[in-house]
């Protein structure tokens, strides 16, 4: 009779031979294998929805005196009715030719219905957003703000992965109506589509 014991960093077991052609295997009745590293967390939070309070976070923009400002979203939206509409990228075709012009064109009408602020939001740096805003000389009411690192987009749960197009992680197209920090309308597109987040869609909800 012979016995062979195998020891590992996790557990040990034995092989016992009763004869030249008989081998028995003895294993522990309970086996626990510890993972050295946790499973990675999910990449984003649940998308913002009606009834949610908008998360606080920092965004940047150039003010009317051409000074760079970095402020909290809550400081802009507290006690106000605000439209926050997001686009996948500055200077991109649908954003530049349809989404933004619609809000500029309807700004007076939106404000007549009680909207205090109209904010265009994108994962771009504030210098790009400033340059983009200057391409609309007729604009009087839409504020172009930047989420340069995409951190606020993550808080909203509205990331859009455009790495295959060389654009990194951007924001999905969306339009939120926020009343004193609470979301009352959340029109979020699938990817970069443009079907439910226009200025007209927000007007219908006011």
């Amino acid at each position: 009779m012979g016995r062979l014991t195998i020891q590992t960093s996790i557990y040990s077991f034995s092989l016992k031979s009763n004869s030249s052609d008989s081998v028995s295997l003895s294993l522990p009745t309970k086996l626990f294998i510890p993972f050295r590293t946790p499973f990675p967390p999910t990449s984003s939070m649940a998308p913002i929805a009606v009834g949610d309070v908008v998360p606080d976070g920092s965004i940047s923009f150039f003010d009317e005196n051409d000074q760079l400002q970095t402020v909290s979203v809550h400081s802009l939206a507290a006690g106000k009715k605000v439209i926050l509409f997001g686009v996948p990228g500055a200077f991109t075709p649908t954003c530049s030719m349809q989404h933004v012009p619609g809000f500029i064109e309807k700004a007076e009408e939106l404000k007549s219905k009680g909207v205090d602020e109209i904010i265009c939001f994108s994962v771009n740096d504030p210098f790009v957003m400033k340059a983009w805003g200057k391409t609309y000389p007729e604009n009087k009411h839409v504020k172009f703000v930047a989420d340069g690192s995409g951190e606020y987009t993550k808080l909203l749960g509205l990331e859009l992965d455009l790495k295959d197009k060389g654009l990194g992680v951007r924001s999905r197209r969306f339009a939120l109506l926020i009343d004193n920090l609470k979301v009352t309308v959340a029109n979020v597109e699938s990817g970069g589509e443009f079907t439910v987040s226009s200025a007209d869609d927000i007007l219908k909800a006011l």
Side-chain angles (χ1 to χ4, degrees):
M1 178 184 293
R3 179 187 296 270
L4 172 65
T5 299
I6 300 175
Q7 180 77 39
T8 75
S9 61
I10 299 174
Y11 62 89
S12 64
F13 60 89
S14 297
L15 292 173
K16 183 170 65 175
S17 174
N18 294 317
S19 67
S20 61
D21 58 355
S22 176
V23 176
S24 65
L25 174 64
S26 174
L27 287 172
T29 56
K30 292 183 179 180
L31 178 63
F32 173 71
I33 302 176
F35 287 96
R36 295 187 181 277
T37 57
F39 290 108
T42 54
S43 61
S44 65
M45 300 176 65
I48 193 82
V50 171
D52 291 344
V53 172
V54 289
D56 203 7
S58 297
I59 54 177
S60 300
F61 62 93
F62 280 89
D63 64 18
E64 59 276 6
N65 296 316
D66 205 29
Q67 297 299 306
L68 180 61
Q69 305 290 338
T70 297
V71 301
S72 74
V73 171
H74 280 197
S75 72
L76 285 180
K80 298 178 182 179
K81 186 173 288 187
V82 174
I83 295 168
L84 177 67
F85 72 97
V87 298
F91 293 103
T92 53
T94 302
C95 308
S96 295
M97 294 186 287
Q98 296 181 63
H99 206 177
V100 169
F103 278 98
I104 292 174
E105 180 184 338
K106 301 289 184 178
E108 294 286 353
E109 189 174 354
L110 290 164
K111 292 182 77 68
S112 74
K113 292 183 177 290
V115 173
D116 298 296
E117 294 270 7
I118 305 170
I119 299 172
C120 175
F121 171 93
S122 183
V123 180
N124 286 107
D125 69 68
F127 296 92
V128 168
M129 294 301 284
K130 171 187 171 183
W132 192 28
K134 286 187 174 181
T135 66
Y136 302 99
E138 72 280 17
N139 177 41
K140 296 179 181 178
H141 301 295
V142 176
K143 186 190 301 289
F144 288 75
V145 307
D147 179 25
S149 62
E151 290 301 316
Y152 193 70
T153 300
K154 291 179 184 178
L155 292 177
L156 293 174
L158 297 177
E159 305 103 309
L160 177 63
D161 190 344
L162 295 176
K163 293 174 187 167
D164 61 334
K165 296 179 172 59
L167 299 174
V169 177
R170 298 297 185 99
S171 167
R172 291 166 67 178
R173 191 182 307 283
F174 67 87
L176 304 179
L177 182 61
I178 303 164
D179 193 349
N180 192 25
L181 303 181
K182 188 173 183 179
V183 177
T184 58
V185 175
N187 292 349
V188 180
E189 305 281 1
S190 175
E193 293 180 4
F194 184 48
T195 58
V196 298
S197 60
S198 69
D200 285 330
D201 291 313
I202 295 295
L203 276 170
K204 292 172 186 175
L206 286 169

